[in-house]
Every structure is written in structure tokens, then in C-alpha cells.
Amino acid sequence: MAALRSYGLRRFLLDQYDRVMAVETDIELALARRVTTTVTVGSVIGGVATAVVYVLLGLLLIDGQIPLAAAATCVIAVQAAQRSLAVVTFQMDRVYTEGQHFRDYTGFMTRAATYLPEQAVVAAPDRLRVLTVEAVSLRYPDRDSPAVDRVTLTVEAGQTVAFVGENGSGKSSLAAMIAALRTPSDGVIRWNGRPLSELDRDELRGRIAVVTQEYHKWPFTAATNIAIGDIDTEARQDRIEAAAARAVADEMIRELPHGYETLLDRTFAKGQDLSGGQWQRITAARGFLRDAELLVMDEPSSALDPRAEDALFQAIRDRRGRATTILITHRLANVRHADRIFVLHHGRLIEQGTHDELVASGGRYAELFTLQAAGYADTDRLPAPRQHPHPAAG
């Protein structure tokens, strides 16, 4: 509503609605004319045929060719035939209509079958030691160019690595394949040398936690919203609170009317809603609760304030040497401490190294980092605030 008022969109939206409705009305009127014409022609033909039958019966009856009882029987038979023909026509029309939906269903099932992973002997994954991505590509059906184009990289256990690049560079798509959420179009991803396709998907995903900026507002209590991050273990309150503290959500949750038992949905009585940044903290706490071997964080701080963002990335840095973290963010100051930074551009891996190595090379990462740093450096050239004299000064 704010956008509608601030941009004055009322007239524009009404005009768009009128245009769409005009096209739809024209289509419906054309269909109605076709249906009316068909029904009228059919009714005229049926009426003429029925009149001819009645005229013949009348002539035969007057001429004495058939008895009155036989003529009455013929009339009843004609009426019954008309009713039966109407029922048959209705059922045929219904079968045809439903058949169109069934054809859509069979077509959908046929297309869906092409996306099913190949059946193979699966094994339980070992604890992560090394993750390798070998010439991996991903193509979406509605795009000509691949979202990820023959990317090869290696992530060692305990490392914190970062995927950086401009929008549309393939960072999230690559992370989704590593997290076993998407299947590569080409190439292979290996967990300790074994392709992901040979590992039990459920157990593999149980070792991976994914935190994205696209949070979902589950209509549960704050505690349950965090606990669903690890439904296979006991949802102890101390674990939930520890995960919330690492995500800078503990204090915020305690300030709610009922603390961790506050229902986060205004649809229900005494329910509360959260801001975007607060929901993002809940989502991050959900990822920390699992304490996974591999944590994928895709823009986890896009809606956080600076203080909360700093605390969140400190919690991410605390995982170094103990667990593996893949970090995706546009705020390059937060990836300076990463063990390895992978720079993607148009789906390709174009640079990799530490922060110092990439800045020294003067490539795309150095360019992006310099642009962001310049934005902060410009604040040093802002005019100093004007000094007002003390009221008691002469």
C-alpha cells in the first residue's frame, strides 16, 4: 500500500486491469458466440428432426396405418431417446474436458521423470574430510547459458571458504549443488572422494545445514522455529538458547511477551510477528543448532543491523578449524578472514585465493573490494559537524 500511494499507481494499475479484462472479455465473448451458435444449430436440427417424426406419426395415425397405442409408444420412445442423447452428449463433453487435465498430468509426470536421480547403491557418508567439485555445470530449462559453467574447486574440512561475485554469477546455484539440493547437469561433486550420487541423500543432508536470506515464517513458537533445524535430536532448551545466542537472537527472543514460547504468527491469539532482520536471526539460529559438518550460509546478514552482523560473522569465524563453512555474501569485508575465496563471474570460477592474494593480484575481487572500501573511505571527506557556541559564551 505504501508503494501504491508513494508512486501514485492507482490510475496505472486500474488501466492495466482494464486492459487485461478487455482481452479476457473478448475471449470469453468469442467463446460464448461459438457455443451459442453450436447449441442453436444443434437445437434447430434436433427440433426439425423431432417435428418430422411427429408429422409422420400423425399422418400414419390419420391414415390408419398404425394404431393409437403404437403412435403413443413412438412418442414416448422419441422423448426417451432425446433424454438419453442429452445425457450421452453431456458425459462425452465431461470426458473430453477431464481428458485435457489428464493429458496435462501425464505430460507433467513424463517431464518430472527426467529429473529423478539415477537409482544406485547408496552408502552412509563418512565425516567430511575433503569436498571436491569437478567440472560441475548447472543448466536451468529456461536459460540458454549455464548458471554454473565447469567449476572445479576443493574445500578442506575445517575451512571457511567464501563464494563472491556479482548478482547472477552462480554462487547460490553452486552452493545448492554442494548441499545436495540440486543435481549438476555435468560434472561430479565428491564427499571424501565419493560422488554425492552414491551417498544416502537423507543422511548426507543431515550433515549439512543451509541458511539463506529467503527465510520462511513458520507459525510455531520461537523455540520450535529454532528446534526444527535439527529434528532428529532432542530439542533441549539449553541447545536452543545456545544456538540463538550464536545467531544474536537470544536477547531479542527474551524480550518477546512469552520469551521462547511466544507464538510467531499473528493469525493466532497472542501471536507476534518479527521484522525481517529478526526472522533472519531465527533462521541463522536454526542453522547453528544442527552444528553440522558443513554449514552453507547464503547472504545470512542481508537484513541485519551492523552490530548483529558483526556478532554473526564472529560466530561463523569461531567454526574455523572445527567445522566447514561456505559463506556467500556481497559484503566483502566479512570474508577477509576466509581460508579461501572463490570468485565467480557468469557462472565461471575466475579467481581463487586468500584475501591478501586476491587484492595483490588486482583482479575482479580487488576491483569489487576497492569499490566497497571507497564507499567507506568517502565518509572521511564529509564536512565536520558545525560547532555551535555554548549558550553562556559572550
Side-chain angles (χ1 to χ4, degrees), residues 5-20:
R5 292 179 180 177
S6 61
Y7 289 105
L9 298 179
R10 179 178 179 275
R11 183 178 300 175
F12 170 78
L13 293 177
L14 289 175
D15 179 66
Q16 293 295 311
Y17 177 82
D18 290 339
R19 292 186 181 187
V20 173

Side-chain angles (χ1 to χ4, degrees), residues 88-148:
V88 170
T89 303
F90 174 78
Q91 294 298 335
M92 290 179 62
D93 178 73
R94 185 174 180 181
V95 169
Y96 175 79
T97 303
E98 297 299 329
Q100 298 299 308
H101 297 298
F102 185 75
R103 185 172 61 181
D104 293 339
Y105 168 76
T106 55
F108 170 79
M109 296 300 293
T110 301
R111 293 191 301 272
T114 61
Y115 292 94
L116 293 176
E118 296 181 2
Q119 296 295 326
V121 178
V122 296
D126 300 325
R127 184 168 185 82
L128 179 62
R129 299 186 302 274
V130 59
L131 183 72
T132 54
V133 179
E134 301 175 359
V136 163
S137 298
L138 179 65
R139 295 178 178 83
Y140 293 111
D142 56 345
R143 291 178 56 178
D144 297 330
S145 59
V148 178

